[in-house]
Amino acid sequence: MSVQERKQRERAERERLIVATARELAEQQGWDAVTTRRLAERIEYSQPVLYSHFRGKREIIGAVALEGAAEMAVAVRAATSAANGPRERVAALARAYLDFAARNPAVYDALFQLDGGLAYAQEDTPEPLKDAFAALMETLGEVTGGSVDPGLFTEVFWAALHGLATLTRAGRLLPEDAEQRVDLLVDRLAMV
């Protein structure tokens, strides 16, 4: 291995450590607790080393969001591939999405609530974000009925899921009705 390859590998490892530490700190204490000073202390590197990887917290949030988008796509695809029939796949997608949001609140915030400097629904949208949307559309495209654009339908269904995830987390919805909400969403919006 050349010196340059080793340096690139070490740089990538430091970057993964920064992102993992930021994510861990955010999940434990919230995003307000994530500062470059605290990250530098936790990973035992100087702040200038952090700034050589990320220009600031915004870029770190963006990196966590991209990692989370990839994980969410995997979770949705795994759930839908294990289901039989369109209704079961849509319901599995909804449950996987809501479960991901509940299990990873800081990552979910990085994806959909905080400014990570990422472009959404644009030409320059990063691949992990496009792939997460594609993971939703793969299943939802099956149930559009041909009269509705699959992308538009996916946006509306996703917005409904996001609303459920956000309102549930804020304690605005009764947790015991979660399954009924999924059934209602699938039966009425997806009409399967």
Side-chain angles (χ1 to χ4, degrees):
M1 173 181 301
S2 74
V3 172
Q4 185 173 359
E5 289 172 331
R6 181 182 53 77
K7 285 183 179 184
Q8 287 174 339
R9 188 185 74 230
E10 289 171 354
R11 180 173 176 75
E13 288 172 10
R14 272 193 314 271
E15 199 164 293
R16 279 191 294 276
L17 178 61
I18 293 166
V19 171
T21 304
R23 182 175 173 167
E24 179 183 316
L25 188 56
E27 290 293 0
Q28 292 170 352
Q29 300 176 30
W31 278 103
D32 287 342
V34 179
T35 64
T36 53
R37 186 177 67 56
R38 288 186 80 189
L39 285 174
E41 288 171 3
R42 283 211 176 187
I43 64 172
E44 298 178 346
Y45 283 105
S46 67
Q47 284 182 309
V49 170
L50 249 72
Y51 285 116
S52 74
H53 290 274
F54 300 99
R55 285 181 281 188
K57 183 175 176 176
R58 181 178 187 219
E59 284 188 6
I60 294 169
I61 290 169
V64 170
L66 293 176
E67 188 177 271
E71 291 170 9
M72 186 172 66
V74 167
V76 165
R77 286 187 175 113
T80 57
S81 70
N84 294 318
R87 187 197 187 288
E88 292 76 17
R89 279 191 289 281
V90 173
L93 176 150
R95 286 186 200 98
Y97 183 97
L98 295 171
D99 183 56
F100 180 86
R103 284 185 298 107
N104 304 284
V107 173
Y108 193 82
D109 285 349
L111 269 165
F112 302 120
Q113 305 286 71
L114 302 174
D115 179 9
L118 303 173
Y120 286 78
Q122 306 292 320
E123 286 290 319
D124 60 341
T125 297
E127 271 312 306
L129 298 178
K130 288 179 181 179
D131 189 52
F133 186 79
L136 299 174
M137 196 161 71
E138 288 163 9
T139 295
L140 295 171
E142 291 180 48
V143 298
T144 61
S147 62
V148 177
D149 174 68
L152 183 61
F153 182 78
T154 300
E155 288 173 347
V156 172
F157 198 91
W158 171 32
L161 288 174
H162 176 69
L164 289 175
T166 303
L167 291 169
T168 299
R169 186 166 146 204
R172 303 291 198 271
L173 301 175
L174 295 173
E176 60 267 19
D177 293 335
E179 194 59 36
Q180 286 180 293
R181 284 187 203 94
V182 168
D183 287 340
L184 184 63
L185 183 63
V186 171
D187 292 338
R188 299 300 170 122
L189 188 57
M191 294 191 285
V192 289

